Amino acid sequence: MNTLFIYKVRKLAKAFLPFYLFALLPLFSSCSDFLEIKPQSEIILEDFWNEKADVDNIVMGCYSALQDDGVRRRMIIWGEGRSDNFQSGQNINDDIHLYNILQENITAKNNYTTWDGFYSVINRCNTVLKYAPGVAEIDPGYTQGDLNATIAEMTALRCLCYFYLIRTFRDVPYSTEAFTDDDQKMDLPATPFADVLDSLINDLERVKNDAVVRYPETKPRYQTGRITRDAIYAMLCEMYLWKKDYDNCIRYAELVIDSKKEMYEEERNKGNASGMGGSAISLSSLNVVENRLNGYPLQNDATSGTRFGDAYEAIFADGANRETIFELNYDDNPRGNSMLANSAISTLYGNQDSPKGLLAPADFIVDEANPENRSESGAFEKVNGYLDARLYQNLSAEDGTIVKFAARYVQINAADEKKVTATTSHYAADNNSSQWIIYRLSDIMLLEAEAICQQMQEGSEQSVIEFNAPKLAQCFRLVNAINKRSLCKSDLTKAGSDTLKAVDFNTKETMEMLVMRERQRELMFEGKRWYDLVRYAMRDGNTNKVIAAVGKRTDVNATFAANFFKKMDAIFLPYYYEELKVNKNLVPNPVFGSGESSSYEKTK
């Protein structure tokens, strides 16, 4: 467990560890009358866990803690900061620790190696799991079904936090025990990555059937802003991919896809499908949309024949979208609605007053706005020309700024295919209400495609060709649906109208490269890219893909990066030096040292 975090709050633990979460307040509803009955300073543990409302308040507090600015920054910086997507933006010297992350000048004293925010959420979840069963015993309004759903939700949220931690640090202290007592042992040694991953998978498998399947239509934010069964399926899909269990990865991806198709069909039958978001359209138009997307219930991006951008606004700005599986909700009027604004995006990605944040798109990606500058190893496909909507939804090539999440909307005019233009509107400073996406359908589709690639065989023999053929077709169908959704063309349903051709991706190697590139352009700046590179390295047993990716950045010395990343340990962050002081059972990452010296000696 995170001993430094526990030591900071141990005085609070005698009553109830996360009492201060009420300052954050629930995301989805106002606080219960319970808070008005007795001053918080007088509440003791026995007084609190008495009714369902008490459990609900703490559950909401777990989500509030996950929304915290420090946690959100780490989701971005841990998941993207060291990748080939970012470089230094404006006023980067205001955050020297972030600058050092970008430069790979990382030590155990870098503030972004602290993990207490994630362990705070973990301990809150563990506390609910410890005390909620007692509430079910005394409150008849809190049924066994309610309890089982709470256990599933809190278990999954805890698993998500641990999943972030192991992908960032590899081996981490792991505990499912609530730390509420001074006498509990807290200086736990790190549990190996594979063991933690297995525990997370086992926990999710155990609780998946108890999770809420659908929330009421009157609470659309709950459906995507809280853990559901689909969210657990999505987590299992990705975790099995990291475990290299490709059959189960594909199985859970298909469960998510089937669920999303079922939801779409229900809305379609009610006449509410609306082209998968937006204003109502005719049934014939819906059929065109569905054909364009290969039958997958993705959000349609076309506004009209030459205008595009619906998908961006529906998914990232409006939220609670049909394509979204799990997201963190934010609001642009935090004082008025007791909800948090997405301040991490406002600072890191930019805002109306300062369009260039502390982070900026890597130079080579900005250069790829011109199709003539694209290469076979670049992010964007040359055959898509200027027509890939994500080129304008991810970034602005004109001023080298990040658009995704920082802009409220992106309106694209593709009347001239050689001179596509985009109009954006950034959020005001400190009033960003973009939804932070943890999982959405296109992400899961691409995870499935990656797993299918790993099942293919190498070679050019006829038997290999025949074995790979159906898998190549399945892969291409998944990738091409996502790619076509983003193309600024009015009709892609006619034969030969696609820009991507299946014949160009007829081997395991070429299909694997296509999937990797599609993940980068589709999920750019969503906190995914570095974790993808780490997964590739762990699967390949070498860091060649990491070296190739980081080597494309002009702000990092390519020779240094090539030498530094020869060591597999280098793809993970070091433990924070204060953590090492408190927990003598932690062994420093040998690449970074302890912050006091570069010794790899195990502390006693």
Side-chain angles (χ1 to χ4, degrees), residues 386 392 413-422:
Y386 293 96
Y392 314 97
N413 186 337
D416 184 348
E417 293 189 3
K418 294 293 181 66
K419 195 176 181 180
V420 178
T421 59

Side-chain angles (χ1 to χ4, degrees), residues 403-458:
V403 170
K404 185 180 281 185
F405 295 112
R408 187 184 300 274
Y409 64 79
V410 183
Q411 296 177 348
I412 302 170
N413 186 337
D416 184 348
E417 293 189 3
K418 294 293 181 66
K419 195 176 181 180
V420 178
T421 59
T423 303
T424 64
S425 175
H426 277 59
Y427 290 99
D430 300 322
N431 285 87
N432 186 301
S433 62
S434 61
Q435 316 306 314
W436 181 254
I437 312 293
I438 304 292
Y439 287 111
R440 58 190 177 101
L441 183 58
S442 59
D443 182 7
I444 300 304
M445 291 167 64
L446 291 170
L447 291 176
E448 179 180 8
E450 183 178 328
I452 295 170
C453 281
Q454 297 311 305
Q455 292 182 326
M456 294 181 196
Q457 298 177 358
E458 303 278 2

Side-chain angles (χ1 to χ4, degrees), residues 258-448:
D258 288 345
S259 175
K260 289 295 184 183
K261 285 181 177 179
E262 180 182 342
M263 292 173 69
Y264 172 68
E265 284 300 323
E266 289 177 3
E267 293 187 20
R268 192 182 196 278
N269 293 335
K270 293 176 183 177
N272 297 328
S274 303
M276 289 165 271
S279 58
I281 61 177
S282 67
L283 182 60
S284 61
S285 296
L286 277 178
N287 291 333
V288 171
V289 168
E290 291 163 357
N291 290 336
R292 176 189 178 101
L293 302 177
N294 293 350
Y296 292 103
L298 295 168
Q299 170 70 41
N300 184 34
D301 200 46
T303 303
S304 66
T306 60
R307 294 190 178 276
F308 301 83
D310 273 7
Y312 176 88
E313 189 171 355
I315 296 170
F316 299 105
D318 296 343
N321 183 262
R322 188 180 298 104
E323 182 175 327
T324 302
I325 301 165
F326 180 51
E327 65 188 357
L328 300 182
N329 295 132
Y330 292 90
D331 195 89
D332 59 0
N333 183 24
R335 292 185 181 90
N337 298 321
S338 298
M339 291 174 66
L340 297 172
N342 202 335
S343 56
I345 292 294
S346 191
T347 301
L348 296 177
Y349 287 10
N351 54 69
Q352 197 174 76
D353 297 337
S354 180
K356 181 174 283 189
L358 296 176
L359 297 169
D363 280 343
F364 83 93
I365 295 177
V366 176
D367 290 341
E368 287 190 348
N370 183 346
E372 298 304 315
N373 294 335
R374 297 177 192 172
S375 67
E376 291 304 316
S377 61
F380 291 92
E381 296 292 339
K382 191 169 185 175
V383 294
N384 287 358
Y386 293 96
L387 296 179
D388 195 326
R390 295 165 298 188
L391 184 62
Y392 314 97
Q393 294 167 346
N394 287 336
L395 63 125
S396 169
E398 294 181 0
D399 55 12
T401 59
I402 296 171
V403 170
K404 185 180 281 185
F405 295 112
R408 187 184 300 274
Y409 64 79
V410 183
Q411 296 177 348
I412 302 170
N413 186 337
D416 184 348
E417 293 189 3
K418 294 293 181 66
K419 195 176 181 180
V420 178
T421 59
T423 303
T424 64
S425 175
H426 277 59
Y427 290 99
D430 300 322
N431 285 87
N432 186 301
S433 62
S434 61
Q435 316 306 314
W436 181 254
I437 312 293
I438 304 292
Y439 287 111
R440 58 190 177 101
L441 183 58
S442 59
D443 182 7
I444 300 304
M445 291 167 64
L446 291 170
L447 291 176
E448 179 180 8

Side-chain angles (χ1 to χ4, degrees), residues 148-215:
N148 292 344
T150 297
I151 290 172
E153 187 172 14
M154 292 295 92
T155 299
L157 208 58
R158 179 183 70 196
C159 288
L160 179 66
C161 290
Y162 272 124
F163 194 39
Y164 271 103
L165 290 169
I166 63 173
R167 288 179 295 174
T168 305
F169 298 96
R170 186 170 51 193
D171 306 337
V172 300
Y174 177 77
S175 175
T176 58
E177 179 182 359
F179 285 82
T180 59
D181 192 293
D182 284 355
D183 297 328
Q184 291 173 272
K185 178 177 173 56
M186 295 174 285
D187 54 341
L188 303 177
T191 301
F193 176 100
D195 292 346
V196 176
L197 182 61
D198 283 343
S199 294
L200 303 184
I201 290 173
N202 290 337
D203 280 350
L204 292 175
E205 290 281 11
R206 173 173 52 83
V207 302
K208 65 185 181 186
N209 292 330
D210 293 326
V212 172
V213 178
R214 304 269 184 90
Y215 280 97

Side-chain angles (χ1 to χ4, degrees), residues 76-205:
I76 295 171
I77 294 165
W78 290 356
E80 294 268 0
R82 303 175 73 188
S83 77
D84 50 342
N85 281 349
F86 282 144
Q87 65 182 37
S88 298
Q90 186 170 292
N91 300 323
I92 188 63
N93 288 332
D94 291 347
D95 191 339
I96 192 63
H97 296 281
L98 176 56
Y99 176 74
N100 287 333
I101 290 280
L102 296 172
Q103 295 296 308
E104 290 299 336
N105 181 24
I106 303 170
T107 71
K109 290 189 175 183
N110 190 295
N111 285 347
Y112 287 108
T113 65
T114 58
W115 56 23
D116 50 307
F118 284 88
Y119 274 110
S120 173
V121 179
I122 289 168
N123 200 54
R124 293 167 191 242
C125 293
N126 284 341
T127 305
V128 175
L129 292 169
K130 178 177 182 178
Y131 291 108
V135 177
E137 294 177 0
I138 59 177
D139 181 5
Y142 188 50
T143 66
Q144 185 64 43
D146 293 334
L147 173 62
N148 292 344
T150 297
I151 290 172
E153 187 172 14
M154 292 295 92
T155 299
L157 208 58
R158 179 183 70 196
C159 288
L160 179 66
C161 290
Y162 272 124
F163 194 39
Y164 271 103
L165 290 169
I166 63 173
R167 288 179 295 174
T168 305
F169 298 96
R170 186 170 51 193
D171 306 337
V172 300
Y174 177 77
S175 175
T176 58
E177 179 182 359
F179 285 82
T180 59
D181 192 293
D182 284 355
D183 297 328
Q184 291 173 272
K185 178 177 173 56
M186 295 174 285
D187 54 341
L188 303 177
T191 301
F193 176 100
D195 292 346
V196 176
L197 182 61
D198 283 343
S199 294
L200 303 184
I201 290 173
N202 290 337
D203 280 350
L204 292 175
E205 290 281 11

